[in-house]
Amino acid sequence: MTRTLFALALTCLAALPAQALERFTFDSIDGGTIDSADWAGKPVLVVNTASRCGFTPQYDGLQALYDQYKDQGLIVLAVPSDDFRQELSSAEDVKEFCEVNFGLTLPMTDITHVRGAEAHPFYRWVADTAGFAPSWNFNKVLIGPDGNVKATFGSTTRPQSPPITGPIEKMLGARG
């Protein structure tokens, strides 16, 4: 019964018309803004993160994924959020924590809401178009080069696992 419902849900989701990414801006942890218009034609993995979570060690995998594919066009965007009460109190603290503990160089936003009424417009768009809202820290949204949500992943899916790298490699191969 559960498999049947899951298959039906996937079929219904696949039948929905694709709605390409709208233009969004995020406040960058480094100052300035991050503009989704710069993502055109590139795959993007957007991950809501937190510094004090059991999944925080995934920062290593996110950085490794970014290092491996960035020259081919992959963007990995970390979106620190305190929606699950596990983020540090300021963007400056988050930036320092990530640099010192993980050597992060991938793009990061300022601390951002990812759920509910205060969710960033990007996350509201993902909820509206893909029916996905983060249920915990380190949930992942894969946006294709065409600007559509291609897949979503929960916290337990590691950044360098085949469910994530497989589609990314296909997207990057299609660009070449």
Side-chain angles (χ1 to χ4, degrees):
M1 175 82 165
T2 302
R3 285 185 191 184
T4 304
L5 290 175
F6 181 70
L8 180 60
L10 286 177
T11 302
C12 291
L13 184 59
L16 292 174
Q19 185 174 352
L21 184 68
E22 297 175 13
R23 185 169 185 182
F24 301 106
T25 59
F26 292 86
D27 290 332
S28 172
I29 204 163
D30 296 318
T33 58
I34 296 169
D35 190 334
S36 68
D38 296 335
W39 304 347
K42 300 175 183 177
V44 183
L45 185 67
V46 181
V47 185
N48 65 297
T49 62
S51 302
R52 300 287 185 223
C53 176
F55 293 105
T56 301
Q58 285 190 21
Y59 271 131
D60 283 329
L62 292 172
Q63 183 64 48
L65 186 73
Y66 179 67
D67 290 343
Q68 182 175 357
Y69 297 109
K70 70 180 175 186
D71 291 341
Q72 297 172 57
L74 176 67
I75 297 167
V76 177
L77 179 65
V79 182
S81 178
D82 194 35
D83 285 358
F84 303 104
R85 308 280 188 256
Q86 294 189 317
E87 189 51 272
L88 300 172
S89 61
S90 73
E92 295 79 20
D93 290 342
V94 172
K95 182 177 177 176
E96 180 181 359
F97 173 83
C98 290
E99 286 174 352
V100 169
N101 293 291
F102 300 99
L104 287 192
T105 61
L106 56 84
M108 292 184 77
T109 71
D110 200 344
I111 297 172
T112 303
H113 288 286
V114 299
R115 304 182 46 85
E118 294 182 77
H120 185 278
F122 168 82
Y123 280 97
R124 290 196 308 264
W125 173 80
V126 170
D128 290 345
T129 61
F132 180 81
S135 59
W136 194 246
N137 302 309
F138 288 87
N139 280 203
K140 300 151 190 81
V141 178
L142 181 60
I143 306 293
D146 63 357
N148 291 304
V149 175
K150 298 299 183 185
T152 58
F153 307 94
S155 305
T156 59
T157 305
R158 296 180 185 275
Q160 293 179 285
S161 67
I164 293 177
T165 59
I168 288 171
E169 289 174 358
K170 285 180 184 171
M171 288 179 219
L172 293 173
R175 295 181 69 228

